[in-house]
């Protein structure tokens, strides 16, 4: 399939142009299908960054579809050389088809991918072996822990909240903290209980608080209370998204669209090589953002060298 | 009624029409502001409650969720400081326990308090809100995932409406005060406005009322409202106009009054002259009448034929004097009532003058005077005029000259002054060598009943009407009359007249000279059937005796009704109809008889009333002629003869006096005395209804027999008996009885 030029009739091309609202050219045999979970600016941004160079060099042909364009998606899934999904829902749709072409799942959390892989392939290894190549959205916990260490020199107690999905990695987190001679303060949140009553003792006793991304529900339900309790107890929070830092976390280490796009480009190029082995990809790049107001409130100074913008994550 | 009638005034109506809308407006505004204020206060209360509950629900979510009672209290107390907020109740779904802060209790909260809308209960307003926890969107690529906010609990905020009610009461009191002041102001303003209109109108009304009562000096104020000022100017103008008109009218009245006074003076003078005349006339009439009666009585006893003849001549002369005087009076009466009737005819002027001159010459010669006639050759031979009236003027003037000239001559000079194709202007000059007239008396000579002095009347007699009649006749002939006189030298009277020319041959003249065509006959009415309608029994006898002496056959009707009935039966050649009769008077009876009788039946009216109006009424009713009382036997008989067509010639009676011969003096006296007895009886019995017929009978006697003096005092009784008491009326009756007793007629 790779290197094979795909020739589309003009009518189909026009149809695709009109309904899919995407750019494509077919003078190359290689064709990439981008499937978006939703038509959001962030998803578009990632696709645009990926394809920006392709447009200039006329390197590859591609099509961008939204996952709910079922007919088009199903049709192009059969004819495309590489499938790139953006978001969990798009990944769910593609993995459900168990196609033969290589698949790149971007903008998907570790827990979400693990769940889909088990769901459609029995386990993650089979999924990967079938040509599924996830680029995990979650920045490794260590990066946030390292950032905390660099930012907060005298910390000892590191509070970590785990959701049900991450509960099985409890030891991983405690080990990571311990390896750095810090004291873990761990909490596995119970969704059925008052989160404040659970979080308040933890945050009160922590020097820094690092929430672990879990299901979306857990994330948004606890974030408000985490931030308010952290504010009340003057405990810095190291978040995992841009929105976290915008909502009141002291800092966040996260994967920006540029980070994801850059790694995706590299992965697509890698897929074209004969010796590439399908595998799970942790985020190669990261972005670090700080909330100056919170820093001022916590009477902290932010070292400029800690900021990161779409580059290799050396934290 | 009084209340409603007071509303009819303009001021009341203006007050009402001004006050009602202003009052309604004030009350409506008060109602609007109170209700608006109440709604606003309620709105404020609701807004306060909504804000409070929203703030509390939003700010206390964390404190409630975290069970931070300290924070909850702190936030709640801040809200409780808001006016009207009384209490706050929280409920946490986590703890399932209400948290109450302030004045609110679980027991007091109403049922169904979990309402979205605020509600009032037990004097408090309640505001309910859920306490929610919003989900914070911290995932970068999953922004579109939305979760419902988490319900943490609820809050119920209670607001007391006490403050609102206090404010409401305060505002109501303020509004009531303002409305009261507004109403008072409106009332005052309405009164002021109504007075600005009504006061000028009332002033105008007062001015008009004054004008109505005659005071035109009131002045309406001309300032103020334009229309009223205009009305005032109009009324003032009207008043001025009326005042000027009144002044003009008053001036005219004054002028007319002064003229009236002058006229009244003249009238009084005339009346005085008339009274003097009447006194003189009474004397002058009595004198010859006394002579006539006296000599008539003497005839009964006088055996000497010569003396009887002499006595008869005296009687005739005296009668002629009487007749002349009566004619003068009648002529003057005619002029007073509307002028003369001229019966113009063509006659020979020269012959006419010469005939007159012959008479005048005879009279002059009898007095030893010379009468000269001088006719200018230009005088026309024939003229068209009333010869009788012309002769009357000339005769009057010439007779005066002869009368007042004791020696010398009397001249008549006739000339033609001017002439045109239709008229001849003639001038008659009568001059004498008499005693002359004092110059300042000359202008009064032409006034009726006036003579130069009273001695003239006594010396020369005369009615004093001759010159007055002559002047009026001359004026009627478009001429003038003047008198030039010098005492002891003579008098010259000149009159002119404008007479119509004519080419016709002159008619034969019949002057009032003794006629030669006279017939005498005692049976001249032989066979003539006469119906005498006369209510007075004595008069009946007298008239019957008089007429039967001439051979007439008489039947008597006692009143108009009988006359009508007898006339219908027929058989009469002529009817003698008295004017005043009971049941139906003579005029009405004449009218009915004429209407009902198909055949010619002549009627002769008998009346003592010399006024033309009465005579005209009788003639209009159908009477052929009228005979005045006292009856002139000769005229009566001739009139009957003429009407029945027995004799066409005039009958001249001999001087033996048939009337006197038939007059039953003693019976007349008895009848009069009997009448006076009845009159006295009626007055004693106070039977006034019977007095009038008795007086009428008395007047009938006086009229029939020419008892003028008696008639005057009876007329006086007639006019005054109704207003005088019986004693005075009896005194008058006594006076009449004395007059009758002393009257020469009965002696």
């Amino acid at each position: 399939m790779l290197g094979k030029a795909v020739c589309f009739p003009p009518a189909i091309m026009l149809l695709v142009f009109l309904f899919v609202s995407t750019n494509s050219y077919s003078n190359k045999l290689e064709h990439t299908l981008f499937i978006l979970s939703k038509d959001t600016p962030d998803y578009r941004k990632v696709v645009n960054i990926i394809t920006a160079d392709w447009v200039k060099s006329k390197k590859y042909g591609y099509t961008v579809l939204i996952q709910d364009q079922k007919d088009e998606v199903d049709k192009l899934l059969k004819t495309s050389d590489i499938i790139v999904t953006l978001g969990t829902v798009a990944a769910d749709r593609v993995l459900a088809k168990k196609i033969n072409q290589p698949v790149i799942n971007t903008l998907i959390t570790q827990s979400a991918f693990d769940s889909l892989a088990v769901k459609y392939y029995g386990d993650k290894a089979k999924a990967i072996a079938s040509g599924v190549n996830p680029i995990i959205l979650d920045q490794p916990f260590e990066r946030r822990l390292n950032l905390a260490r660099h930012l907060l020199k005298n910390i000892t107690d590191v509070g970590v909240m785990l959701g049900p999905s991450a509960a099985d990695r409890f030891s991983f987190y405690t080990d990571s903290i311990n390896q750095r001679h810090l004291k873990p303060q761990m909490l596995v949140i119970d969704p059925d209980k008052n989160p404040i009553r659970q979080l308040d003792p933890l945050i009160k006793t922590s020097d820094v608080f690092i929430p672990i991304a879990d299901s979306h529900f857990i994330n948004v339900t606890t974030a408000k209370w985490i931030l308010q309790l952290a504010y009340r107890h003057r405990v810095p929070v190291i978040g995992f998204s841009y929105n976290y830092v915008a909502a009141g976390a002291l800092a966040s280490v996260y994967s920006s669209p540029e980070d994801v796009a850059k790694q995706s480009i590299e992965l697509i190029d890698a897929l074209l090589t004969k010796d590439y082995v399908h595998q799970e990809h942790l985020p190669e790049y990261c972005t670090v953002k700080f909330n100056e107001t919170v820093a001022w409130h916590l009477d902290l100074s932010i070292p400029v060298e800690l900021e990161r913008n779409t580059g290799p994550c050396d934290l | 009624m009084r209340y409603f009638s007071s509303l009819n005034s303009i001021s009341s109506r203006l007050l009402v029409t001004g006050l009602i809308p202003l009052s309604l407006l004030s009350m409506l505004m008060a109602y609007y502001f109170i209700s608006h204020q109440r709604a606003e206060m309620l709105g404020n209360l609701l807004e306060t409650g909504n804000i409070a509950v929203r703030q509390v629900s939003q700010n206390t979510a964390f404190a409630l969720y975290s069970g931070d009672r300290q924070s909850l209290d702190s936030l709640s107390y801040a809200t409780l400081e808001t006016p009207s907020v009384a209490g706050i109740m929280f409920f946490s779904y986590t703890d399932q326990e209400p948290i109450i802060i302030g004045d609110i209790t679980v027991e007091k909260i109403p049922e169904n308090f979990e309402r979205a809308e605020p509600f009032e209960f037990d004097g408090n307003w309640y505001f309910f809100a859920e306490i929610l926890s919003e989900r914070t969107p911290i995932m970068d690529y999953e922004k579109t995932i939305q979760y419902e906010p988490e319900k943490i609990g609820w809050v119920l905020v209670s607001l007391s409406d006490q403050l609102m009610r206090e404010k409401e009461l305060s505002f109501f009191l303020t509004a009531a005060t303002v409305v009261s002041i507004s109403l008072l102001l409106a009332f005052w303003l309405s009164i002021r406005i109504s007075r600005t209109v009504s006061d000028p109108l009332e002033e105008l009304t007062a001015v008009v009322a004054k004008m109505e009562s005659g005071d035109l000096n009131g002045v309406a104020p001309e300032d103020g409202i334009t229309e009223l000022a205009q009305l005032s100017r109009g009324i003032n103008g009207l008043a001025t106009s009326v005042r000027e008109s009144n002044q003009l009218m008053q001036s005219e009245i004054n002028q007319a009054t002064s003229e009236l006074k002058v006229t009244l003076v003249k009238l009084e003078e005339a009346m005085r002259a008339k009274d003097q005349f009447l006194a003189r006339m009474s004397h002058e009439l009595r004198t010859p009448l006394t002579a006539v009666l006296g000599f008539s009585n003497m005839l009964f006893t006088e055996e000497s034929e010569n003396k009887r003849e002499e006595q008869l001549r005296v009687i005739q002369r005296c009668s002629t004097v009487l007749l002349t005087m009566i004619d003068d009076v009648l002529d003057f009466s005619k002029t007073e009532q509307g002028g003369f009737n001229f019966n113009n005819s063509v006659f020979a002027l020269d012959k006419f003058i010469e005939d007159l001159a012959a008479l005048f010459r005879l009279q002059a010669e009898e007095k030893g005077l010379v009468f000269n006639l001088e006719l200018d050759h230009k005088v026309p031979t024939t003229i068209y005029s009333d010869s009788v009236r012309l002769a009357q003027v000339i005769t009057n003037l010439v007779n005066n000259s002869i009368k007042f000239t004791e020696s010398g001559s009397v001249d008549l000079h006739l000339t033609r002054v001017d002439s045109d194709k239709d008229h001849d202007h003639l001038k008659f000059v009568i001059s004498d060598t008499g005693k002359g007239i004092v110059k300042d008396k000359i202008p009064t000579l032409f006034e009726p009943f006036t003579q130069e002095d009273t001695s003239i009347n006594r010396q020369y007699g005369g009615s004093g009407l001759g010159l007055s009649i002559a002047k009026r006749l001359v004026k009627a002939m478009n001429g003038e009359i003047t008198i030039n006189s010098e005492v002891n030298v003579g008098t010259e009277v000149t009159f002119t007249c404008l007479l119509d020319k004519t080419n016709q041959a002159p008619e034969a003249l019949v002057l009032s000279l003794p006629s030669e065509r006279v017939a005498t006959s005692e049976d001249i009415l032989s066979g003539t059937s006469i119906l005498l309608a006369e209510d007075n029994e004595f008069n009946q006898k007298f008239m019957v005796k008089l007429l039967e002496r001439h051979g007439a056959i008489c039947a008597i009707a006692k009143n108009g009704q009988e006359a009508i009935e007898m006339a219908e039966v027929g058989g009469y050649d002529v009817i003698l109809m008295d004017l005043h009769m009971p049941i139906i008077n003579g005029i009405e009876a004449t009218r009915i008889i004429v209407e009902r009788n198909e055949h010619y039946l002549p009627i002769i009216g008998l009346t003592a009333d010399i006024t033309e109006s009465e005579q005209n009424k009788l003639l209009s009713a159908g009477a052929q002629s009228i005979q005045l009382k006292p009856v002139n036997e000769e005229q009566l008989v001739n009139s009957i003869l003429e009407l029945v067509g027995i004799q066409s010639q005039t009958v001249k009676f001999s001087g033996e006096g048939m009337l006197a011969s038939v007059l039953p003096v003693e019976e007349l006296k008895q009848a009069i005395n009997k009448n006076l007895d009845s009159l006295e009886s009626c007055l004693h019995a106070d039977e006034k209804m019977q007095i009038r017929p008795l007086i009428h009978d008395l007047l009938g006697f006086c009229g029939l027999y020419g008892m003028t003096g008696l008639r005057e005092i009876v007329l006086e009784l007639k006019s005054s008996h109704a207003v005088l008491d019986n004693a005075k009326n009896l005194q008058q009756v006594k006076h009449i009885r004395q007059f009758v007793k002393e009257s020469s007629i009965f002696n």
Side-chain angles (χ1 to χ4, degrees):
Chain A
M1 288 293 290
L2 294 174
K4 180 183 175 182
V6 179
C7 184
F8 294 100
I12 293 174
M13 288 303 293
L14 179 61
L15 190 65
V16 169
F17 177 79
L18 288 174
F19 291 96
V20 177
S21 181
T22 183
N23 293 319
S24 66
Y25 53 92
S26 57
N27 55 343
K28 296 289 183 181
L29 293 177
E30 296 83 3
H31 181 265
T32 302
L33 174 61
F34 293 91
I35 302 173
L36 282 58
S37 293
K38 289 181 180 177
D39 192 7
T40 66
D42 285 341
Y43 290 149
R44 285 284 179 186
K45 189 174 183 180
V46 172
V47 173
N48 289 340
I49 293 169
I50 294 170
T51 58
D53 188 49
W54 294 359
V55 174
K56 289 178 185 174
S57 62
K58 300 180 181 177
K59 190 176 182 179
Y60 305 116
Y62 69 92
T63 301
V64 180
L65 292 174
I66 311 301
Q67 57 85 21
D68 54 4
Q69 294 173 287
K70 292 178 182 178
D71 292 341
E72 287 79 10
V73 168
D74 291 345
K75 190 175 182 179
L76 288 179
L77 278 176
K78 293 174 184 173
T79 57
S80 297
D81 296 322
I82 297 173
I83 312 300
V84 180
T85 67
L86 288 87
T88 306
V89 178
D92 190 344
R93 183 164 186 76
V94 173
L95 293 184
K97 297 290 181 183
K98 291 186 179 179
I99 56 175
N100 296 322
Q101 299 95 316
V103 174
I104 299 173
N105 297 132
T106 62
L107 299 175
I108 189 167
T109 60
Q110 181 72 64
S111 60
F113 177 73
D114 291 350
S115 177
L116 291 176
V118 171
K119 183 179 178 183
Y120 295 112
Y121 290 92
D123 59 44
K124 189 164 66 175
K126 287 181 180 176
I128 292 169
S130 299
V132 177
N133 301 272
I135 300 175
I136 300 300
L137 181 63
D138 307 332
Q139 291 289 332
F141 174 71
E142 293 84 352
R143 291 180 182 173
R144 286 196 281 163
L145 191 60
N146 292 336
L147 176 64
R149 284 188 64 196
H150 285 104
L151 187 61
L152 307 164
K153 300 296 183 185
N154 300 318
I155 59 170
T156 53
D157 294 302
V158 178
V160 177
M161 186 202 78
L162 302 175
S165 303
D168 57 347
R169 289 171 62 90
F170 186 88
S171 57
F172 166 76
Y173 294 115
T174 50
D175 291 345
S176 295
I177 296 167
N178 287 326
Q179 285 172 7
R180 287 167 179 79
H181 308 289
L182 297 172
K183 185 180 178 182
Q185 299 290 342
M186 304 301 289
L187 170 66
V188 179
I189 193 87
D190 183 351
D192 298 326
K193 291 182 179 176
N194 187 323
I196 296 176
R197 303 285 173 83
Q198 298 175 71
L199 286 167
D200 187 50
L202 176 65
I203 294 173
K204 192 189 295 181
T205 56
S206 299
D207 295 320
V208 64
F209 187 80
I210 303 173
I212 305 301
D214 201 271
S215 68
H216 189 269
F217 177 76
I218 292 294
N219 291 338
V220 298
T221 301
T222 58
K224 177 179 179 179
W225 307 124
I226 289 168
L227 290 171
Q228 284 204 21
L229 287 169
Y231 175 76
R232 175 181 282 187
H233 298 300
R234 297 175 61 83
V235 175
V237 176
I238 307 298
F240 50 77
S241 67
Y242 170 79
N243 283 331
Y244 226 126
V245 76
L250 174 63
S252 274
V253 181
Y254 62 96
S255 299
S256 68
E258 289 82 1
D259 295 334
V260 175
K262 192 172 183 179
Q263 190 170 358
S264 297
I265 292 167
E266 289 171 0
L267 181 54
I268 290 168
D269 287 339
L271 281 173
L272 296 176
T273 60
K274 292 180 180 176
D275 53 353
Y276 175 77
V277 179
H278 298 295
Q279 57 186 307
E280 179 184 85
H281 298 273
L282 293 174
E284 292 287 334
Y285 306 98
C286 70
T287 297
V288 178
K289 286 288 179 185
F290 296 94
N291 187 320
E292 298 289 341
T293 306
V294 174
W296 178 83
H297 178 68
L298 294 174
D299 198 19
L300 293 174
S301 56
I302 306 297
V304 178
E305 63 272 15
L306 289 179
E307 281 199 14
R308 298 286 186 277
N309 279 313
T310 314
C313 203
D314 54 355
L315 289 173
Chain B
M1 286 300 291
R2 194 174 165 189
Y3 171 74
F4 287 112
S5 64
S6 66
L7 283 178
N8 278 331
S9 66
I10 286 176
S11 59
S12 301
R13 290 191 176 194
L14 286 172
L15 188 64
V16 169
T17 50
L19 193 56
I20 286 175
L22 285 171
S23 303
L24 286 173
L25 187 64
S26 300
M27 295 178 79
L28 281 172
M29 285 180 71
Y31 174 76
Y32 170 75
F33 283 121
I34 288 171
S35 57
H36 179 74
Q37 183 69 13
R38 191 179 187 285
E40 192 172 312
M41 284 194 293
L42 182 61
N44 288 339
L45 184 77
L46 295 175
E47 191 177 346
T48 302
N50 283 325
I51 291 170
V53 78
R54 197 161 56 244
Q55 284 181 344
V56 168
S57 66
Q58 289 174 354
N59 296 335
T60 58
F62 180 79
L64 183 68
Y65 206 25
S66 65
D68 187 353
R69 179 62 189 264
Q70 192 177 355
S71 297
L72 208 57
D73 286 347
S74 176
L75 288 167
S76 298
Y77 284 130
T79 304
L80 283 172
E81 288 177 5
T82 306
S84 299
V85 177
I88 303 170
M89 177 182 285
F90 294 99
F91 185 84
S92 168
Y93 294 135
T94 305
D95 299 334
Q96 295 291 314
E97 282 290 331
I99 300 168
I100 292 169
I101 300 166
D103 186 16
I104 184 170
T105 60
V106 177
E107 292 76 20
K108 283 185 179 177
I109 62 171
E111 294 179 0
N112 302 322
F113 65 88
E114 294 171 332
R115 299 179 195 170
E117 294 298 321
F119 60 96
E120 187 181 17
F121 177 77
D122 198 19
N124 290 312
W125 281 86
Y126 291 90
F127 300 82
F128 174 84
E130 296 270 11
I131 298 176
L132 304 172
S133 173
E134 298 289 338
R135 314 285 183 175
T136 304
I138 44 101
M139 302 305 288
D140 285 345
Y141 300 99
E142 301 289 344
K143 289 177 184 173
T144 56
I145 297 175
Q146 298 292 331
Y147 292 94
E148 287 294 315
E150 184 184 5
K151 292 182 180 178
I152 295 170
W154 51 259
V155 61
L156 188 67
V157 176
S158 164
L159 268 73
S160 170
D161 62 357
Q162 181 65 28
L163 184 62
M164 187 185 79
R165 293 193 182 283
E166 287 174 1
K167 282 185 178 177
E168 201 173 87
L169 179 64
S170 171
F171 186 79
F172 178 78
L173 291 173
T174 306
T177 306
V178 170
V179 167
S180 300
I181 292 169
S182 299
L183 283 174
L184 286 172
L185 195 65
F187 186 70
W188 177 80
L189 203 61
S190 297
I191 288 175
R192 291 283 301 169
I193 291 169
S194 67
R195 281 187 178 170
T196 56
V197 177
S198 65
D199 284 357
L201 278 175
E202 284 172 3
E203 287 181 26
L204 277 176
T205 307
V207 170
V208 172
K210 278 185 178 179
M211 288 171 66
E212 194 179 17
S213 63
D215 181 5
L216 297 171
N217 293 321
V219 178
E222 296 182 1
D223 52 357
I225 300 171
T226 308
E227 291 81 358
L228 292 177
Q230 200 170 0
L231 182 61
S232 297
R233 282 194 290 277
I235 289 173
N236 288 337
L238 183 65
T240 304
S241 177
V242 172
R243 196 162 53 236
E244 288 172 357
S245 296
N246 279 357
Q247 286 171 353
L248 182 63
M249 192 165 67
Q250 190 61 43
S251 168
E252 289 175 353
I253 287 171
N254 290 339
Q255 188 179 353
T257 305
S258 60
E259 288 173 359
L260 201 60
K261 282 178 180 173
V262 171
T263 307
L264 190 62
V265 169
K266 287 181 179 176
L267 190 63
E268 284 173 353
E269 287 176 0
M271 288 301 292
R272 205 160 34 245
K274 197 168 188 174
D275 288 343
Q276 289 175 1
F277 165 76
L278 285 173
R280 284 201 303 271
M281 287 299 292
S282 175
H283 172 75
E284 293 303 325
L285 289 171
R286 279 170 181 279
T287 302
L289 267 174
T290 304
V292 168
L293 292 170
F295 281 104
S296 299
N297 286 333
M298 288 170 68
L299 283 172
F300 288 107
T301 55
E302 186 60 59
E303 294 180 354
S304 170
E305 189 65 27
N306 292 335
K307 284 189 177 178
R308 285 183 62 160
E309 190 176 344
E310 185 181 353
Q311 287 167 354
L312 283 170
R313 273 200 296 277
V314 172
I315 289 169
Q316 189 180 27
R317 190 162 58 247
C318 289
S319 298
T320 305
V321 168
L322 271 173
L323 190 61
T324 304
M325 294 192 84
I326 290 168
D327 285 344
D328 282 353
V329 171
L330 288 175
D331 275 349
F332 183 75
S333 175
K334 285 179 182 175
T335 65
E336 287 290 295
Q337 290 177 15
F340 301 96
N341 291 323
F342 280 78
N343 296 316
N344 291 339
S345 62
V346 179
F347 61 92
L349 182 60
D350 51 351
K351 182 72 170 70
F352 167 79
I353 293 295
E354 283 169 3
D355 285 348
L356 280 178
L359 290 172
F360 298 147
R361 193 170 291 113
L362 191 62
Q363 289 177 25
E365 285 173 355
E366 284 178 355
K367 205 175 176 183
L369 301 174
V370 175
F371 179 81
N372 297 313
L373 172 65
E374 187 180 350
L375 278 175
D376 189 81
H377 67 278
K378 293 180 181 175
V379 171
T381 53
T382 57
I383 59 170
Y384 180 73
S385 183
D386 187 334
S387 59
V388 175
R389 294 300 180 192
L390 187 58
Q392 189 177 355
V393 176
I394 297 168
T395 303
N396 185 287
L397 297 176
V398 174
N399 281 346
N400 276 346
S401 290
I402 293 171
K403 189 189 292 182
F404 295 109
T405 303
E406 298 302 326
S407 62
S409 63
V410 175
D411 299 330
L412 172 60
H413 186 202
L414 174 58
T415 57
R416 189 178 73 177
V417 179
D418 197 6
S419 176
D420 58 29
K421 63 176 184 178
D422 295 324
H423 302 97
D424 284 315
H425 193 188
L426 303 181
K427 183 170 81 173
F428 296 80
V429 180
I430 298 99
S431 57
D432 62 56
T433 55
K435 56 184 281 192
I437 307 166
V438 179
K439 278 191 177 176
D440 57 353
K441 295 290 183 183
I442 290 174
T444 64
L445 291 176
F446 293 108
E447 292 178 11
F449 310 111
T450 305
Q451 291 178 322
E452 187 179 357
D453 59 53
T454 53
S455 62
I456 292 172
N457 181 270
R458 287 194 296 272
Q459 187 177 351
Y460 299 101
S463 61
L465 293 171
L467 282 175
S468 179
I469 293 168
K471 184 178 181 181
R472 294 175 190 219
L473 284 169
V474 168
K475 191 177 179 183
M477 290 187 285
N478 300 315
E480 289 179 348
I481 186 167
T482 57
I483 296 176
N484 289 314
S485 183
E486 191 173 345
V487 178
N488 297 327
V489 174
T491 302
E492 183 182 275
V493 181
T494 304
F495 78 89
T496 59
C497 54
L498 194 64
L499 303 177
D500 293 337
K501 280 183 174 178
T502 181
N503 296 322
Q504 294 177 11
E507 296 173 358
L509 278 175
V510 179
L511 297 178
S512 56
L513 299 173
S515 175
E516 297 300 323
R517 296 170 294 174
V518 172
T520 57
S521 174
E522 291 193 350
D523 295 325
I524 199 163
L525 294 176
S526 177
T528 305
S529 177
I530 298 173
L531 172 60
L532 174 64
E534 170 65 61
D535 60 325
N536 187 283
E537 191 179 345
F538 189 83
N539 288 348
Q540 291 168 7
K541 289 180 181 177
F542 172 72
M543 288 299 292
V544 169
K545 191 175 281 188
L546 187 146
L547 294 168
E548 284 179 347
R549 286 191 58 161
H550 293 287
I553 302 163
C554 294
I556 294 170
K558 293 177 184 175
N559 52 52
Q561 182 63 41
E562 281 189 14
I564 294 165
E565 292 169 358
M566 292 172 75
E568 282 184 351
V569 173
Y572 304 105
D573 297 316
V574 66
I575 298 175
L576 300 181
M577 183 72 75
D578 185 26
L579 209 63
H580 301 287
M581 284 189 295
I583 304 177
I584 295 177
N585 64 36
I587 295 170
E588 186 63 13
T590 302
R591 189 183 62 75
I592 294 169
I593 290 167
V594 170
E595 282 179 2
R596 292 184 181 178
N597 275 275
E598 295 177 355
H599 305 292
Y600 174 68
L601 180 57
I603 298 173
I604 298 171
L606 297 174
T607 179
D609 197 335
I610 62 167
T611 59
E612 276 195 2
S613 63
E614 286 296 312
Q615 295 176 18
N616 288 336
K617 284 179 185 173
L618 195 56
L619 291 171
S620 299
Q624 271 64 41
S625 67
I626 292 169
Q627 289 296 311
L628 293 175
K629 293 177 179 179
V631 174
N632 185 309
E633 186 181 359
E634 182 181 324
Q635 289 178 359
L636 176 63
V637 172
N638 279 329
S639 180
I640 293 169
L641 287 173
E642 184 184 348
L643 290 174
V644 300
I646 295 174
Q647 191 173 334
S648 60
Q649 291 184 336
T650 305
V651 174
K652 176 67 180 178
F653 286 86
S654 66
E656 291 179 348
M658 291 173 69
L659 185 60
S661 64
V662 297
L663 180 65
V665 177
E666 201 55 38
E667 286 180 30
L668 176 60
K669 190 175 180 181
Q670 285 175 6
I672 290 172
N673 283 328
K674 186 182 173 184
N675 184 290
L676 291 172
D677 291 342
S678 300
L679 204 53
E680 282 178 341
S681 300
C682 290
L683 287 170
H684 282 301
D686 200 21
E687 294 173 348
K688 291 190 174 178
M689 294 298 289
Q690 298 299 321
I691 294 172
R692 194 172 177 82
L694 292 169
I695 293 173
H696 171 73
D697 287 346
L698 268 178
L699 287 171
F701 292 139
C702 300
L704 191 60
Y705 303 110
M707 296 180 287
T708 312
L710 182 61
R711 188 170 185 269
E712 284 180 0
I713 55 177
V714 173
L715 280 173
E716 191 177 345
L717 175 65
K718 182 186 178 185
S719 61
S720 63
H721 79 277
V723 294
L724 295 175
D725 57 21
N726 286 343
K728 288 184 178 175
N729 285 330
L730 284 168
Q731 189 67 32
Q732 279 199 301
V733 173
K734 190 178 177 183
H735 178 61
I736 294 167
R737 197 186 288 281
Q738 184 65 29
F739 186 89
V740 172
K741 187 179 178 182
E742 293 174 356
S743 175
S744 58
I745 298 173
F746 305 111
N747 296 317

